[in-house]
Amino acid sequence: MKIFQCQACDQPVTFEATSCESCERRLGYVCTRHEVSALEPAGSSRHVLMGGAPVFRAYAEPGPRFRYCQNAVWGACNWLVREDDGDIFCICCRHNRVVPDLTVPWNLTRWRQVEAAKHRLFYSLLRLELPLATRLQYTDGLAFDFLVDPSECNAGGLPVMTGHINGLITMNIAEADDVERERRRILFGEHYRTLLGHFRHEIGHYFWYLLVMNGPFLDTFRTLFGDESRNYVQALRTHYSGGAPADWEESFVSAYATAHPWEDFAETFAHYLHIVDTIETASTFELHVRPRLRHGIQPPTVIDFDPYDTHDLDRLIEAWLPLTYAVNSLSHSMGQPALYPFKLTPAVIAKLAFVHERIYAARDGVMPTADEAGADILRAVITGLRQKVAAPLV
């Protein structure tokens, strides 16, 4: 994401910050402005539910008065709610359906980490202007259950599995434990496993449900990703027993994407969010990337645009490939594995184009024809072939 600054003193601040280290003003996130804002006290709330909670004026949005989300009392949220909003939770936290017992210190520690990742997810979803209905609005609206494994509570029952069904995303908060997450990463043979990655994957299932399932492009989806009507449970069993096909990297962004078309879409959606959010970070530094190769020297790739408002997928891919080549090389120099250990082949880029089109169709309210969609995907394949030669990944 972008760099945030205190509007009162220009001190750089983090996305999760609640106070400025320089001028010591309170900070809060104003989601309508996509800004962490310096705050000034403005008395106490008249809202009965708030019980006289402090309210503030936000530098980033003068006019309305704000209060903190109720989850601020747990140190789990710095997002602001307008004083006249009837909900005690912010636009992110109001999607929570179940949270763990927060009187248990270890649960609270892990839940705070889970919320930090979820808030970063919502930053991207709001920037992309994607629909975010709650369960109070629709019975299958987006909701989260954050659960503790029964074994950790000395209780009986099956282990908690992270997953999605009909708008409900369930997450085992053990994923917030670095040791446990690394154990699972190795167990499942994954290159990459993070809390934010989990959220981006599971939300991909939700948006398949919203943007693809009942839309006019299901046939296009099946051409690219496969027939999702085949038995999902059996497909997962086959994947976990036999693994991915030997040549999976030519057509899929990850080994797990080979398990079933639903998983392929979710993995591709997650990578789209990886790409957009990371390019925004690079753009805030106006990075110029040009590998010094013996042959084929080209002008530098200048990353100085807003990827959250870029209809042209080619521009994203043309920035992403040399950027990941550079950051992977830097990571190797520190003795670490590649930061982005994946390849974007022409087939994968075509799938990314499909995701990109569905997102922009949703936010613009314009549905391209099937012929236009096919032309966009073809252009994405051509871009992939060209960039694959120009900037190979390591």
Side-chain angles (χ1 to χ4, degrees):
M1 56 179 57
K2 63 183 180 182
I3 296 173
F4 300 100
Q5 290 180 271
C6 171
Q7 293 85 354
C9 69
D10 288 337
Q11 172 74 14
V13 297
T14 66
F15 178 62
E16 294 83 10
T18 56
S19 63
C20 176
E21 294 181 354
S22 177
C23 69
E24 299 184 350
R25 280 179 172 81
R26 299 291 295 274
L27 300 173
Y29 186 71
V30 182
C31 63
T32 53
R33 298 290 184 180
H34 310 300
E35 286 287 354
V36 175
S37 179
L39 307 174
E40 292 288 354
S44 297
S45 173
R46 296 184 298 274
H47 199 292
V48 176
L49 290 177
M50 292 301 98
V55 295
F56 304 90
R57 298 287 186 186
Y59 281 55
E61 188 169 357
R65 304 202 311 174
F66 295 91
R67 48 187 162 79
Y68 279 110
C69 171
Q70 184 66 19
N71 281 335
V73 302
W74 298 102
C77 181
N78 69 338
W79 286 33
L80 300 174
V81 183
R82 283 178 60 125
E83 183 190 18
D84 56 4
D85 193 323
D87 204 310
I88 64 173
F89 294 107
C90 71
I91 198 169
C92 178
C93 291
R94 65 188 59 172
H95 289 273
N96 290 355
R97 194 180 77 157
V98 176
V99 299
D101 180 356
L102 301 179
T103 63
V104 178
W106 189 230
N107 286 350
L108 178 58
T109 297
R110 289 186 287 187
W111 180 62
R112 284 171 175 163
Q113 292 174 279
V114 167
E115 282 295 339
K118 192 191 82 179
H119 281 65
R120 285 181 173 260
L121 169 72
F122 269 72
Y123 171 87
S124 293
L125 301 180
L126 291 170
R127 290 290 327 269
L128 290 169
E129 302 175 23
L130 286 165
L132 294 168
T134 67
R135 293 255 153 156
L136 290 177
Q137 295 170 299
Y138 298 100
T139 55
D140 55 356
L142 179 63
F144 296 88
D145 284 356
F146 300 124
L147 305 178
V148 180
D149 256 325
S151 60
E152 294 191 32
C153 311
N154 296 318
L158 297 173
V160 174
M161 303 299 292
T162 295
H164 166 271
I165 183 168
N166 297 331
L168 176 63
I169 293 175
T170 301
M171 181 168 288
N172 187 339
I173 66 168
E175 291 287 349
D177 180 77
D178 292 340
V179 174
E180 177 60 23
R181 191 172 60 253
E182 179 65 8
R183 184 189 72 81
R184 297 182 185 205
R185 187 189 70 79
I186 295 172
L187 177 66
F188 294 115
E190 298 173 344
H191 292 304
Y192 170 91
R193 190 181 182 100
T194 67
L195 278 174
L196 184 54
H198 277 317
F199 276 118
R200 287 172 172 169
H201 173 93
E202 298 305 337
I203 207 71
H205 286 298
Y206 175 69
F207 282 110
W208 184 88
Y209 177 75
L210 283 188
L211 306 180
V212 181
M213 186 177 73
N214 294 317
F217 296 99
L218 190 57
D219 287 342
T220 305
F221 168 83
R222 288 172 175 169
T223 299
L224 289 169
F225 296 88
D227 183 2
E228 84 293 344
S229 66
R230 67 188 177 93
N231 189 288
Y232 177 71
V233 173
Q234 184 57 51
L236 290 187
R237 288 174 179 166
T238 300
H239 173 76
Y240 283 121
S241 64
D247 59 349
W248 66 265
E249 288 184 309
E250 291 305 311
S251 302
F252 300 88
V253 74
S254 71
Y256 187 55
T258 68
H260 188 275
W262 284 340
E263 299 302 340
D264 193 5
F265 181 85
E267 285 286 89
T268 304
F269 194 95
H271 280 261
Y272 181 82
L273 295 184
H274 293 336
I275 290 168
V276 171
D277 198 36
T278 306
I279 288 178
E280 186 187 32
T281 304
S283 72
T284 64
F285 290 93
E286 292 192 10
L287 291 184
H288 294 216
V289 183
R290 181 174 63 183
R292 293 186 176 180
L293 305 175
R294 285 194 299 271
H295 303 288
I297 296 177
Q298 298 178 349
T301 298
V302 180
I303 306 174
D304 60 354
F305 61 95
D306 182 359
Y308 284 104
D309 193 23
T310 302
H311 283 68
D312 184 4
L313 180 70
D314 287 1
R315 195 173 188 191
L316 294 177
I317 299 302
E318 287 167 1
W320 183 246
L321 293 180
L323 176 62
T324 52
Y325 182 38
V327 297
N328 284 347
S329 298
L330 291 170
S331 187
H332 291 320
S333 296
M334 290 293 294
Q336 296 293 324
L339 184 66
Y340 185 76
F342 306 96
K343 293 195 305 182
L344 297 189
T345 64
V348 172
I349 291 173
K351 294 175 183 179
L352 286 167
F354 182 83
V355 170
H356 182 76
E357 290 162 6
R358 301 285 67 71
I359 288 173
Y360 276 86
R363 69 187 290 184
D364 295 341
V366 177
M367 296 298 290
T369 67
D371 288 343
E372 289 170 339
D376 287 343
I377 291 170
L378 178 59
R379 283 195 295 271
V381 172
I382 294 171
T383 298
L385 288 167
R386 183 174 66 248
Q387 292 295 323
K388 186 178 181 182
V389 175
L393 297 180
V394 294

